[in-house]
Amino acid sequence: MKYFLSTEATPPKAMANYFSAEHFFVFDGHSHSKASLIRYLSGYLLKQGRVDEHYLASVLERESRASTLLDDKIAIPHPLGLVALSTMVTVAIFPSGIEWDTGKSVKLVFMLAISEDAFVDSMLIYDYLTNILDDDVIDALSQCTSFEAFMTLSQKYFL
């Protein structure tokens, strides 16, 4: 209920700081595997100066230890520690889904790059990710074709 009581018209500060149109992707009809998506998004974060060359290896190692599939609904690939140079959440939407683990498909992937100085805010990001686990919310977010639509819908779950 608390999600619907918020009348805030602008995204919360942490959301505005760590989500950006530049790090928002919609892959409709695009064929990515889990591995190729992780490489693509890691490369993008590297090119943007958000992570260093060790980030990708850490994300792949984390994924090999245990899947980053959350509640069989969203994927949150991330490295083993707080190794990012600056914090950013890269959003990848797959309206038709992407197979994350064998037989398990997700429509939303949130690649996390969390730096040590943003550890407290990272808890807000994790809260947001758990707040959107309702099937109806995931379906609605996975149909967003623009960053603005995504943020408008997301902000009420980022408390």
Side-chain angles (χ1 to χ4, degrees), residues 18-132:
Y18 305 128
F19 289 74
S20 77
E22 189 175 34
H23 292 87
F24 177 83
F25 301 91
V26 176
F27 295 103
D28 196 9
H30 188 49
S31 61
H32 260 298
S33 66
K34 172 173 132 178
S36 73
L37 179 68
I38 289 173
R39 280 188 207 91
Y40 177 82
L41 296 179
S42 294
Y44 190 79
L45 287 165
L46 178 64
K47 187 167 67 168
Q48 298 294 315
R50 298 284 184 165
V51 301
D52 66 18
E53 66 278 357
H54 305 291
Y55 179 83
L56 173 59
S58 185
V59 173
L60 292 172
E61 183 178 346
R62 167 63 181 90
E63 196 67 42
S64 73
R65 290 183 183 194
S67 176
T68 56
L69 189 63
L70 182 60
D71 201 27
D72 290 347
K73 296 183 181 190
I74 63 175
I76 52 167
H78 58 281
L80 290 167
L82 303 173
V83 299
L85 301 174
S86 65
T87 298
M88 180 55 58
V89 178
T90 302
V91 178
I93 294 178
F94 290 86
S96 301
I98 180 175
E99 185 175 57
W100 199 255
D101 291 335
T102 304
K104 297 186 180 188
S105 184
V106 297
K107 294 181 177 181
L108 300 171
V109 177
F110 298 89
M111 178 165 272
L112 306 180
I114 310 281
S115 63
E116 286 185 16
D117 64 334
F119 178 73
V120 172
D121 282 349
S122 72
M123 295 301 110
L124 298 172
I125 294 167
Y126 285 114
D127 286 345
Y128 162 76
L129 294 173
T130 59
N131 288 341
I132 64 165

Side-chain angles (χ1 to χ4, degrees), residues 11 113 119 151 159:
F119 178 73
M151 289 296 280
L159 302 173

